């Protein structure tokens, strides 16, 4: 079986990269942009860093901001109608995963109208046409949605998140400018950064991992471990390192999948609206412990990439312990909570059922029973 790699046709990296948004719109001959960005980014002037450039260049655009942190089916449906009414021929997605995931779903439905029922896109949908061209400008260093073939939508009615995987949703351009991330508060920086670390570690230990994605994931783990603490303190070098590290993690995991951590995190967010990055971070040492006997020598390389010294002189148990301890220490240093008081005993059965049905679960290196998943959820109970 062949291994596939799907990446952006073009990406820009580094301070000041947002200048390229205008150049790319002109180069592609687009006439009007549909700017998708969440209300807080508009309120605090982050979106304006890009729309000001569009104004200066005389490029027409409309703004769509009906986007929740965990975007819903309704956000997508409203966005499809707004796009149809806008007369736009491209999407400029400005934000974290929420803005980019919403943009992907809108773009896919516009060009594949037979999938107007958002739920029909769950899993690997057989769409035939590339989505509306997306220029993605991330404002968080975590989801890497600008370089992935995945997006996640919340079904409020059924209290679940569903993952959509589609090579047709890949943004044509990613503009990864660390200066767009400098306004992130500490808590969001920490949560999105730990989401990126989870992408890298899960992607490195998933069933489908192979040499090319290993290269991406190990470098991402190294960059994130080195830079996240400084990014939380809003240091320039930390922001730059995280902007690159999270993108490189996306280059890997998008092509091989994730595992049980993300399956449980999606479930937690759907039921309790827990921020996705926080959920991933809380489950990361738990899921690593669960999978440890199924990871061969890989946790040695995780420990090494996280800066643990002397791993070549450690026993297998010692380097596995060291990798998990390094994750716990980083999580603690950036202020990630260890428990969630919203989880109720009577919810555990449904939480476990939903996690085992999540599209990320099949990539996990170890099979899990419902009872084992319940036990992992219970570990987060206050």
């Amino acid at each position: 079986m062949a291994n596939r790699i799907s990446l952006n046709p073009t990406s820009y990296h580094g301070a000041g990269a947002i200048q390229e948004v205008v150049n790319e719109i002109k180069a592609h001959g687009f006439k009007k942009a549909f700017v998708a960005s969440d209300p807080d980014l508009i309120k605090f002037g982050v979106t304006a860093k890009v729309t000001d450039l569009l104004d200066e260049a005389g490029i027409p655009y409309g703004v769509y901001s009906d986007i929740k942190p965990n975007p819903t089916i309704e956000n997508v449906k409203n966005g499809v109608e707004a796009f149809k009414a806008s007369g736009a021929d491209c999407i400029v997605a400005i934000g974290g995963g929420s803005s980019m995931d919403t943009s992907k779903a809108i773009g896919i439905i516009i060009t594949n109208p037979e999938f107007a029922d958002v739920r029909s896109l769950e899993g690997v949908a057989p769409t035939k046409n590339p989505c509306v061209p997306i220029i993605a400008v991330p404002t968080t260093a975590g989801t890497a949605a600008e370089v992935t073939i995945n997006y996640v939508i919340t079904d409020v009615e059924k209290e679940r998140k569903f993952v959509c995987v589609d090579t047709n949703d890949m943004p044509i351009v990613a503009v990864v400018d660390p200066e767009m991330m400098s306004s992130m508060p500490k808590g969001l920086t920490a949560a999105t950064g730990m989401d990126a670390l989870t992408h890298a570690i899960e992607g490195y230990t998933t069933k489908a991992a192979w040499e090319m994605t290993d290269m991406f994931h190990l470098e991402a783990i190294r960059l994130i471990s080195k830079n996240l603490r400084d990014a939380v303190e809003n240091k320039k070098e930390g922001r730059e390192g995280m902007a690159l590290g999270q993108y490189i993690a996306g280059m890997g995991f998008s092509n091989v999948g994730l595992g049980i951590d993300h399956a449980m995190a999606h479930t937690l967010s759907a039921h309790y609206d827990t921020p996705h990055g926080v959920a991933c971070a809380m489950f990361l040492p738990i899921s690593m412990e669960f999978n440890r006997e199924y990871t061969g020598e890989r946790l040695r390389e995780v420990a090494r990439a996280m800066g643990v010294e002397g791993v070549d002189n450690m026993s297998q148990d010692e380097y596995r312990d060291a990798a998990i301890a390094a994750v716990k220490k980083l999580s603690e240093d950036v202020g990630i909570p260890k428990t969630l008081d919203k989880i109720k005993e009577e919810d555990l059965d449904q939480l476990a059922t939903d996690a085992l049905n999540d599209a990320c679960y099949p990539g996990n290196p170890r099979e899990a029973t419902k009872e084992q998943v319940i036990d992992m959820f219970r570990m987060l109970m206050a």
Side-chain angles (χ1 to χ4, degrees):
M1 181 178 165
N3 293 308
R4 182 188 70 191
I5 292 285
S6 294
L7 301 170
N8 305 113
T10 305
S11 64
Y12 296 94
H13 303 267
I18 56 168
Q19 301 288 336
E20 299 298 336
V21 173
V22 168
N23 295 335
E24 285 291 334
I25 290 174
K26 289 180 176 179
H28 285 87
F30 298 137
K31 303 302 182 189
K32 184 178 181 181
F34 181 83
V35 174
S37 193
D38 71 67
D40 281 347
L41 293 175
I42 294 170
K43 177 181 176 182
F44 294 113
V46 179
T47 308
K49 292 180 180 180
V50 176
T51 56
D52 285 352
L53 296 174
L54 301 182
D55 287 330
E56 289 170 17
I59 296 171
Y61 64 89
V63 177
Y64 178 69
S65 62
D66 183 13
I67 301 171
K68 293 186 176 179
N70 290 308
T72 65
I73 290 173
E74 185 179 12
N75 294 153
V76 175
K77 286 182 174 178
N78 293 344
V80 168
E81 294 309 310
F83 185 91
K84 288 177 180 176
S86 72
D89 54 1
C90 69
I91 298 173
V92 178
I94 305 167
S98 52
S99 296
M100 287 188 274
D101 284 5
T102 305
S103 297
K104 289 178 178 182
I106 292 168
I108 284 287
I109 291 171
I110 290 293
T111 58
N112 298 272
E114 66 273 26
F115 291 93
D117 176 2
V118 186
R119 293 187 182 97
S120 70
L121 292 164
E122 181 172 3
V124 183
T127 60
K128 293 180 173 59
N129 303 311
C131 74
V132 173
I134 297 173
I135 298 173
V137 185
T139 61
T140 65
T143 68
E146 69 274 11
V147 67
T148 71
I149 58 172
N150 316 308
Y151 56 100
V152 183
I153 304 297
T154 298
D155 186 336
V156 175
E157 182 185 335
K158 297 183 178 179
E159 286 194 339
R160 62 185 294 267
K161 278 188 166 187
F162 57 93
V163 180
C164 308
V165 182
D166 191 344
T167 53
N168 281 324
D169 69 34
M170 176 71 76
I172 61 166
V173 180
V175 180
V176 187
D177 187 335
E179 292 180 347
M180 289 294 290
M181 304 168 185
S182 61
S183 63
M184 267 198 298
K186 284 187 176 185
L188 184 61
T189 300
T192 55
M194 290 301 295
D195 181 23
L197 182 65
T198 307
H199 289 155
I201 292 176
E202 277 206 294
Y204 183 60
T205 55
T206 193
K207 288 177 183 175
W210 62 292
E211 288 86 349
M212 189 176 286
T213 58
D214 288 352
M215 172 180 70
F216 295 142
H217 289 135
L218 287 172
E219 180 61 8
I221 293 167
R222 187 189 71 79
L223 284 167
I224 294 163
S225 301
K226 178 183 177 183
N227 290 288
L228 181 55
R229 292 175 179 89
D230 283 346
V232 169
E233 297 303 320
N234 207 21
K235 295 179 181 177
K236 182 174 179 287
E237 295 79 8
R239 291 289 189 199
E240 291 174 348
M242 283 304 302
L244 188 57
Q246 64 89 32
Y247 183 89
I248 295 173
M251 293 171 76
F253 87 83
S254 175
N255 290 289
V256 292
L258 294 164
I260 200 164
D261 180 301
H262 265 75
M264 294 188 294
H266 288 153
T267 303
L268 210 61
S269 295
H271 281 264
Y272 307 117
D273 213 25
T274 310
H276 174 69
V278 173
C280 285
M282 289 193 295
F283 277 126
L284 186 52
I286 293 170
S287 63
M288 290 172 71
E289 186 65 47
F290 178 75
N291 288 329
R292 63 183 287 154
E293 300 300 328
Y294 295 76
T295 55
E297 298 179 348
R298 288 184 171 254
L299 291 189
R300 179 183 64 200
E301 301 313 314
V302 170
R304 191 194 312 277
M306 293 194 73
V308 177
E309 296 181 358
V311 292
D312 291 320
N313 299 318
M314 293 182 183
S315 68
Q316 191 171 68
D317 276 340
E318 286 172 338
Y319 65 63
R320 287 172 174 172
D321 287 342
I324 295 167
V327 167
K328 286 181 177 178
K329 182 68 166 66
L330 179 57
S331 202
E332 182 181 318
D333 287 351
V334 298
I336 297 293
K338 295 177 181 176
T339 59
L340 185 69
D341 57 13
K342 291 182 179 179
I343 303 176
K344 299 179 180 63
E345 186 71 28
E346 58 266 29
D347 294 345
L348 292 176
D349 188 82
Q350 188 61 52
L351 291 171
T353 297
D354 290 353
L356 289 170
N357 287 326
D358 188 89
C360 289
Y361 167 67
N364 202 63
R366 179 184 178 186
E367 298 291 320
T369 65
K370 182 189 280 191
E371 289 70 28
Q372 287 170 327
V373 179
I374 286 173
D375 285 344
M376 285 189 274
F377 275 107
R378 194 176 276 125
M379 290 178 191
L380 297 188
M381 294 175 70

